Amino acid sequence: MKPIKPIYKMIRNELDEVREGIEVIAVTKQVGVERTKEAIEAGIVHLGENRPEGFLKKYEAIGDGATWHFIGNLQTRKVKEIINQIDYLHSLDRLSLANEIQKRAEHTINCFVQVNVSKEDSKSGVLPEETVDFIKTLEKYDKINIIGLMTMAPNTEDEEVLRDVFKGLKTLQQQVAEKNWPHAPCTECSMGMSNDYLIAAQEGATFVRVGTALIGSESEAE
Ligand SMILES: *Cc1c(COP(=O)(O)O)cnc(C)c1O
């Protein structure tokens, strides 16, 4: 496995050239605790996991030594296992999940609403045209603070397609932010992964989620 620090520096520089202040979430779902600790030693603050089991394994070893982002689909019955340990949830996409968070959270949870901008059947997320109404409905949930929107781009190398998706999320994020709803400041855009983080940054990402290109995968032969 390649050392994380130089790769992180390179990605940081690329992002800083686009705009200051874009946060990198290192996605550690494909590596173990030791490699995750290497990420922290390299100066990475934000870590992302997509399954409760993987998150809890790392959380038990690292605890408050990182800022924790849960980026995967979250089954309602798993909410109680993680909700009071994470700092950000990137996958709020339905009222049943909001209800369970409201019931289980002991403090306000910073949430991204996941939006299915590309409208692929295989993807979860609220549809773009339903996003503003969905967020309005969340007004009565005092445990939920909508800090932004998140999307997964299609698996394509077509830059125009990717740009359109990222632009779509940015436009929606600004629409929600303009409402000035106290429960939904909605200042953030979580978009961009290993193959497209730079495009996402150019289109207004404030958080990019990078796994393979930064942390690698432990099954990867070197
Ligand atoms: C795995 C994952 C990522 C990171 O993917 P890479 O292509 O490895 O960078 C980002 N976001 C989500 C939601 C993921 O599940």
PDB file of all heavy atoms in Angstrom, residues 135-160:
ATOM      1  N   ILE A 135     -37.479  18.450   2.694  1.00  0.00           N
ATOM      2  CA  ILE A 135     -36.741  19.186   3.730  1.00  0.00           C
ATOM      3  C   ILE A 135     -37.695  20.069   4.550  1.00  0.00           C
ATOM      4  O   ILE A 135     -37.559  20.187   5.759  1.00  0.00           O
ATOM      5  CB  ILE A 135     -35.582  19.983   3.106  1.00  0.00           C
ATOM      6  CG1 ILE A 135     -34.544  18.989   2.567  1.00  0.00           C
ATOM      7  CG2 ILE A 135     -34.957  20.947   4.118  1.00  0.00           C
ATOM      8  CD1 ILE A 135     -33.394  19.604   1.811  1.00  0.00           C
ATOM      9  N   LYS A 136     -38.678  20.633   3.897  1.00  0.00           N
ATOM     10  CA  LYS A 136     -39.687  21.428   4.626  1.00  0.00           C
ATOM     11  C   LYS A 136     -40.360  20.572   5.710  1.00  0.00           C
ATOM     12  O   LYS A 136     -40.545  21.008   6.845  1.00  0.00           O
ATOM     13  CB  LYS A 136     -40.728  21.960   3.630  1.00  0.00           C
ATOM     14  CG  LYS A 136     -41.925  22.657   4.254  1.00  0.00           C
ATOM     15  CD  LYS A 136     -41.621  24.135   4.491  1.00  0.00           C
ATOM     16  CE  LYS A 136     -42.851  24.923   4.956  1.00  0.00           C
ATOM     17  NZ  LYS A 136     -42.918  25.071   6.413  1.00  0.00           N
ATOM     18  N   THR A 137     -40.665  19.328   5.344  1.00  0.00           N
ATOM     19  CA  THR A 137     -41.322  18.405   6.275  1.00  0.00           C
ATOM     20  C   THR A 137     -40.471  18.136   7.520  1.00  0.00           C
ATOM     21  O   THR A 137     -40.990  17.813   8.582  1.00  0.00           O
ATOM     22  CB  THR A 137     -41.586  17.052   5.567  1.00  0.00           C
ATOM     23  OG1 THR A 137     -42.117  17.314   4.284  1.00  0.00           O
ATOM     24  CG2 THR A 137     -42.531  16.179   6.354  1.00  0.00           C
ATOM     25  N   LEU A 138     -39.168  18.272   7.381  1.00  0.00           N
ATOM     26  CA  LEU A 138     -38.274  17.946   8.492  1.00  0.00           C
ATOM     27  C   LEU A 138     -38.221  19.036   9.564  1.00  0.00           C
ATOM     28  O   LEU A 138     -37.551  18.886  10.581  1.00  0.00           O
ATOM     29  CB  LEU A 138     -36.862  17.669   7.957  1.00  0.00           C
ATOM     30  CG  LEU A 138     -36.768  16.467   6.998  1.00  0.00           C
ATOM     31  CD1 LEU A 138     -35.384  16.396   6.370  1.00  0.00           C
ATOM     32  CD2 LEU A 138     -37.088  15.172   7.728  1.00  0.00           C
ATOM     33  N   GLU A 139     -38.939  20.109   9.316  1.00  0.00           N
ATOM     34  CA  GLU A 139     -38.979  21.246  10.241  1.00  0.00           C
ATOM     35  C   GLU A 139     -39.295  20.837  11.677  1.00  0.00           C
ATOM     36  O   GLU A 139     -38.743  21.364  12.633  1.00  0.00           O
ATOM     37  CB  GLU A 139     -40.080  22.184   9.736  1.00  0.00           C
ATOM     38  CG  GLU A 139     -39.993  23.591  10.206  1.00  0.00           C
ATOM     39  CD  GLU A 139     -41.042  24.462   9.495  1.00  0.00           C
ATOM     40  OE1 GLU A 139     -41.924  23.929   8.779  1.00  0.00           O
ATOM     41  OE2 GLU A 139     -40.959  25.673   9.681  1.00  0.00           O
ATOM     42  N   LYS A 140     -40.189  19.888  11.827  1.00  0.00           N
ATOM     43  CA  LYS A 140     -40.644  19.531  13.169  1.00  0.00           C
ATOM     44  C   LYS A 140     -39.716  18.546  13.888  1.00  0.00           C
ATOM     45  O   LYS A 140     -39.991  18.153  15.023  1.00  0.00           O
ATOM     46  CB  LYS A 140     -42.073  18.996  13.117  1.00  0.00           C
ATOM     47  CG  LYS A 140     -42.289  17.836  12.180  1.00  0.00           C
ATOM     48  CD  LYS A 140     -43.783  17.415  12.194  1.00  0.00           C
ATOM     49  CE  LYS A 140     -44.065  16.202  11.331  1.00  0.00           C
ATOM     50  NZ  LYS A 140     -44.041  16.495   9.885  1.00  0.00           N
ATOM     51  N   TYR A 141     -38.636  18.148  13.242  1.00  0.00           N
ATOM     52  CA  TYR A 141     -37.712  17.182  13.859  1.00  0.00           C
ATOM     53  C   TYR A 141     -36.567  17.948  14.509  1.00  0.00           C
ATOM     54  O   TYR A 141     -35.609  18.338  13.839  1.00  0.00           O
ATOM     55  CB  TYR A 141     -37.164  16.236  12.797  1.00  0.00           C
ATOM     56  CG  TYR A 141     -38.195  15.331  12.155  1.00  0.00           C
ATOM     57  CD1 TYR A 141     -39.147  15.827  11.261  1.00  0.00           C
ATOM     58  CD2 TYR A 141     -38.214  13.963  12.441  1.00  0.00           C
ATOM     59  CE1 TYR A 141     -40.084  14.986  10.672  1.00  0.00           C
ATOM     60  CE2 TYR A 141     -39.148  13.122  11.852  1.00  0.00           C
ATOM     61  CZ  TYR A 141     -40.079  13.646  10.973  1.00  0.00           C
ATOM     62  OH  TYR A 141     -40.996  12.818  10.397  1.00  0.00           O
ATOM     63  N   ASP A 142     -36.653  18.148  15.809  1.00  0.00           N
ATOM     64  CA  ASP A 142     -35.638  19.015  16.422  1.00  0.00           C
ATOM     65  C   ASP A 142     -34.282  18.329  16.588  1.00  0.00           C
ATOM     66  O   ASP A 142     -33.300  18.978  16.924  1.00  0.00           O
ATOM     67  CB  ASP A 142     -36.139  19.614  17.742  1.00  0.00           C
ATOM     68  CG  ASP A 142     -36.347  18.568  18.816  1.00  0.00           C
ATOM     69  OD1 ASP A 142     -36.189  17.364  18.539  1.00  0.00           O
ATOM     70  OD2 ASP A 142     -36.677  18.967  19.949  1.00  0.00           O
ATOM     71  N   LYS A 143     -34.201  17.040  16.322  1.00  0.00           N
ATOM     72  CA  LYS A 143     -32.914  16.337  16.403  1.00  0.00           C
ATOM     73  C   LYS A 143     -32.173  16.347  15.060  1.00  0.00           C
ATOM     74  O   LYS A 143     -31.083  15.804  14.940  1.00  0.00           O
ATOM     75  CB  LYS A 143     -33.130  14.889  16.868  1.00  0.00           C
ATOM     76  CG  LYS A 143     -33.652  14.780  18.297  1.00  0.00           C
ATOM     77  CD  LYS A 143     -32.547  15.104  19.270  1.00  0.00           C
ATOM     78  CE  LYS A 143     -32.977  15.220  20.725  1.00  0.00           C
ATOM     79  NZ  LYS A 143     -33.997  14.329  21.182  1.00  0.00           N
ATOM     80  N   ILE A 144     -32.790  16.938  14.061  1.00  0.00           N
ATOM     81  CA  ILE A 144     -32.195  16.895  12.719  1.00  0.00           C
ATOM     82  C   ILE A 144     -31.885  18.300  12.209  1.00  0.00           C
ATOM     83  O   ILE A 144     -32.759  19.160  12.154  1.00  0.00           O
ATOM     84  CB  ILE A 144     -33.140  16.163  11.741  1.00  0.00           C
ATOM     85  CG1 ILE A 144     -33.254  14.687  12.161  1.00  0.00           C
ATOM     86  CG2 ILE A 144     -32.645  16.298  10.295  1.00  0.00           C
ATOM     87  CD1 ILE A 144     -34.194  13.871  11.302  1.00  0.00           C
ATOM     88  N   ASN A 145     -30.620  18.507  11.875  1.00  0.00           N
ATOM     89  CA  ASN A 145     -30.185  19.769  11.282  1.00  0.00           C
ATOM     90  C   ASN A 145     -29.697  19.472   9.867  1.00  0.00           C
ATOM     91  O   ASN A 145     -28.763  18.703   9.671  1.00  0.00           O
ATOM     92  CB  ASN A 145     -29.043  20.357  12.129  1.00  0.00           C
ATOM     93  CG  ASN A 145     -28.575  21.694  11.628  1.00  0.00           C
ATOM     94  OD1 ASN A 145     -29.381  22.566  11.312  1.00  0.00           O
ATOM     95  ND2 ASN A 145     -27.257  21.873  11.547  1.00  0.00           N
ATOM     96  N   ILE A 146     -30.352  20.065   8.883  1.00  0.00           N
ATOM     97  CA  ILE A 146     -29.962  19.789   7.495  1.00  0.00           C
ATOM     98  C   ILE A 146     -28.834  20.739   7.105  1.00  0.00           C
ATOM     99  O   ILE A 146     -29.054  21.917   6.819  1.00  0.00           O
ATOM    100  CB  ILE A 146     -31.163  19.951   6.536  1.00  0.00           C
ATOM    101  CG1 ILE A 146     -32.307  19.017   6.944  1.00  0.00           C
ATOM    102  CG2 ILE A 146     -30.725  19.687   5.087  1.00  0.00           C
ATOM    103  CD1 ILE A 146     -31.960  17.550   6.958  1.00  0.00           C
ATOM    104  N   ILE A 147     -27.627  20.194   7.099  1.00  0.00           N
ATOM    105  CA  ILE A 147     -26.498  21.073   6.789  1.00  0.00           C
ATOM    106  C   ILE A 147     -26.169  21.080   5.307  1.00  0.00           C
ATOM    107  O   ILE A 147     -25.380  21.896   4.850  1.00  0.00           O
ATOM    108  CB  ILE A 147     -25.233  20.720   7.587  1.00  0.00           C
ATOM    109  CG1 ILE A 147     -24.750  19.322   7.229  1.00  0.00           C
ATOM    110  CG2 ILE A 147     -25.441  20.847   9.061  1.00  0.00           C
ATOM    111  CD1 ILE A 147     -23.263  19.281   7.289  1.00  0.00           C
ATOM    112  N   GLY A 148     -26.752  20.152   4.539  1.00  0.00           N
ATOM    113  CA  GLY A 148     -26.454  20.161   3.115  1.00  0.00           C
ATOM    114  C   GLY A 148     -27.106  19.024   2.366  1.00  0.00           C
ATOM    115  O   GLY A 148     -27.957  18.324   2.898  1.00  0.00           O
ATOM    116  N   LEU A 149     -26.681  18.870   1.114  1.00  0.00           N
ATOM    117  CA  LEU A 149     -27.180  17.809   0.242  1.00  0.00           C
ATOM    118  C   LEU A 149     -26.010  16.936  -0.200  1.00  0.00           C
ATOM    119  O   LEU A 149     -24.877  17.391  -0.288  1.00  0.00           O
ATOM    120  CB  LEU A 149     -27.870  18.391  -0.998  1.00  0.00           C
ATOM    121  CG  LEU A 149     -29.022  19.371  -0.775  1.00  0.00           C
ATOM    122  CD1 LEU A 149     -29.603  19.794  -2.120  1.00  0.00           C
ATOM    123  CD2 LEU A 149     -30.105  18.769   0.120  1.00  0.00           C
ATOM    124  N   MET A 150     -26.336  15.680  -0.478  1.00  0.00           N
ATOM    125  CA  MET A 150     -25.317  14.726  -0.927  1.00  0.00           C
ATOM    126  C   MET A 150     -25.825  14.001  -2.164  1.00  0.00           C
ATOM    127  O   MET A 150     -27.018  13.742  -2.279  1.00  0.00           O
ATOM    128  CB  MET A 150     -25.058  13.726   0.192  1.00  0.00           C
ATOM    129  CG  MET A 150     -24.075  12.613  -0.140  1.00  0.00           C
ATOM    130  SD  MET A 150     -24.794  11.172  -0.954  1.00  0.00           S
ATOM    131  CE  MET A 150     -23.836   9.854  -0.218  1.00  0.00           C
ATOM    132  N   THR A 151     -24.918  13.713  -3.092  1.00  0.00           N
ATOM    133  CA  THR A 151     -25.315  12.845  -4.205  1.00  0.00           C
ATOM    134  C   THR A 151     -24.185  11.909  -4.595  1.00  0.00           C
ATOM    135  O   THR A 151     -23.018  12.144  -4.296  1.00  0.00           O
ATOM    136  CB  THR A 151     -25.794  13.656  -5.440  1.00  0.00           C
ATOM    137  OG1 THR A 151     -26.604  12.807  -6.263  1.00  0.00           O
ATOM    138  CG2 THR A 151     -24.637  14.199  -6.281  1.00  0.00           C
ATOM    139  N   MET A 152     -24.598  10.817  -5.239  1.00  0.00           N
ATOM    140  CA  MET A 152     -23.672   9.865  -5.850  1.00  0.00           C
ATOM    141  C   MET A 152     -23.801  10.074  -7.355  1.00  0.00           C
ATOM    142  O   MET A 152     -24.891   9.925  -7.899  1.00  0.00           O
ATOM    143  CB  MET A 152     -24.081   8.433  -5.535  1.00  0.00           C
ATOM    144  CG  MET A 152     -24.200   8.114  -4.064  1.00  0.00           C
ATOM    145  SD  MET A 152     -22.674   7.445  -3.383  1.00  0.00           S
ATOM    146  CE  MET A 152     -22.541   5.885  -4.245  1.00  0.00           C
ATOM    147  N   ALA A 153     -22.701  10.363  -8.015  1.00  0.00           N
ATOM    148  CA  ALA A 153     -22.749  10.549  -9.465  1.00  0.00           C
ATOM    149  C   ALA A 153     -22.818   9.193 -10.154  1.00  0.00           C
ATOM    150  O   ALA A 153     -22.438   8.179  -9.580  1.00  0.00           O
ATOM    151  CB  ALA A 153     -21.520  11.325  -9.926  1.00  0.00           C
ATOM    152  N   PRO A 154     -23.296   9.159 -11.406  1.00  0.00           N
ATOM    153  CA  PRO A 154     -23.295   7.891 -12.138  1.00  0.00           C
ATOM    154  C   PRO A 154     -21.876   7.397 -12.362  1.00  0.00           C
ATOM    155  O   PRO A 154     -20.927   8.185 -12.349  1.00  0.00           O
ATOM    156  CB  PRO A 154     -23.946   8.241 -13.479  1.00  0.00           C
ATOM    157  CG  PRO A 154     -24.461   9.612 -13.367  1.00  0.00           C
ATOM    158  CD  PRO A 154     -23.815  10.272 -12.213  1.00  0.00           C
ATOM    159  N   ASN A 155     -21.750   6.112 -12.563  1.00  0.00           N
ATOM    160  CA  ASN A 155     -20.461   5.504 -12.806  1.00  0.00           C
ATOM    161  C   ASN A 155     -20.108   5.679 -14.285  1.00  0.00           C
ATOM    162  O   ASN A 155     -20.320   4.796 -15.089  1.00  0.00           O
ATOM    163  CB  ASN A 155     -20.544   4.024 -12.417  1.00  0.00           C
ATOM    164  CG  ASN A 155     -19.204   3.339 -12.504  1.00  0.00           C
ATOM    165  OD1 ASN A 155     -18.172   3.995 -12.689  1.00  0.00           O
ATOM    166  ND2 ASN A 155     -19.206   2.031 -12.391  1.00  0.00           N
ATOM    167  N   THR A 156     -19.591   6.841 -14.615  1.00  0.00           N
ATOM    168  CA  THR A 156     -19.274   7.130 -16.020  1.00  0.00           C
ATOM    169  C   THR A 156     -18.030   8.005 -16.079  1.00  0.00           C
ATOM    170  O   THR A 156     -17.685   8.664 -15.103  1.00  0.00           O
ATOM    171  CB  THR A 156     -20.441   7.873 -16.710  1.00  0.00           C
ATOM    172  OG1 THR A 156     -20.028   8.269 -18.022  1.00  0.00           O
ATOM    173  CG2 THR A 156     -20.840   9.131 -15.941  1.00  0.00           C
ATOM    174  N   GLU A 157     -17.361   7.979 -17.207  1.00  0.00           N
ATOM    175  CA  GLU A 157     -16.222   8.878 -17.383  1.00  0.00           C
ATOM    176  C   GLU A 157     -16.628  10.121 -18.167  1.00  0.00           C
ATOM    177  O   GLU A 157     -15.793  10.987 -18.433  1.00  0.00           O
ATOM    178  CB  GLU A 157     -15.105   8.145 -18.127  1.00  0.00           C
ATOM    179  CG  GLU A 157     -14.815   6.789 -17.518  1.00  0.00           C
ATOM    180  CD  GLU A 157     -13.340   6.512 -17.360  1.00  0.00           C
ATOM    181  OE1 GLU A 157     -12.578   6.733 -18.325  1.00  0.00           O
ATOM    182  OE2 GLU A 157     -12.958   6.071 -16.269  1.00  0.00           O
ATOM    183  N   ASP A 158     -17.879  10.174 -18.564  1.00  0.00           N
ATOM    184  CA  ASP A 158     -18.387  11.294 -19.361  1.00  0.00           C
ATOM    185  C   ASP A 158     -18.458  12.552 -18.494  1.00  0.00           C
ATOM    186  O   ASP A 158     -19.337  12.706 -17.646  1.00  0.00           O
ATOM    187  CB  ASP A 158     -19.765  10.933 -19.920  1.00  0.00           C
ATOM    188  CG  ASP A 158     -20.283  11.983 -20.901  1.00  0.00           C
ATOM    189  OD1 ASP A 158     -19.879  13.162 -20.779  1.00  0.00           O
ATOM    190  OD2 ASP A 158     -21.080  11.615 -21.771  1.00  0.00           O
ATOM    191  N   GLU A 159     -17.505  13.437 -18.731  1.00  0.00           N
ATOM    192  CA  GLU A 159     -17.364  14.604 -17.869  1.00  0.00           C
ATOM    193  C   GLU A 159     -18.602  15.490 -17.880  1.00  0.00           C
ATOM    194  O   GLU A 159     -18.965  16.067 -16.855  1.00  0.00           O
ATOM    195  CB  GLU A 159     -16.130  15.406 -18.324  1.00  0.00           C
ATOM    196  CG  GLU A 159     -15.604  16.297 -17.243  1.00  0.00           C
ATOM    197  CD  GLU A 159     -14.348  17.046 -17.673  1.00  0.00           C
ATOM    198  OE1 GLU A 159     -13.371  16.382 -18.087  1.00  0.00           O
ATOM    199  OE2 GLU A 159     -14.359  18.283 -17.587  1.00  0.00           O
ATOM    200  N   GLU A 160     -19.243  15.597 -19.043  1.00  0.00           N
ATOM    201  CA  GLU A 160     -20.430  16.456 -19.124  1.00  0.00           C
ATOM    202  C   GLU A 160     -21.567  15.918 -18.262  1.00  0.00           C
ATOM    203  O   GLU A 160     -22.273  16.677 -17.600  1.00  0.00           O
ATOM    204  CB  GLU A 160     -20.879  16.630 -20.580  1.00  0.00           C
ATOM    205  CG  GLU A 160     -19.981  17.581 -21.372  1.00  0.00           C
ATOM    206  CD  GLU A 160     -19.591  18.841 -20.596  1.00  0.00           C
ATOM    207  OE1 GLU A 160     -20.499  19.583 -20.152  1.00  0.00           O
ATOM    208  OE2 GLU A 160     -18.380  19.095 -20.394  1.00  0.00           O
TER     209      GLU A 160
END
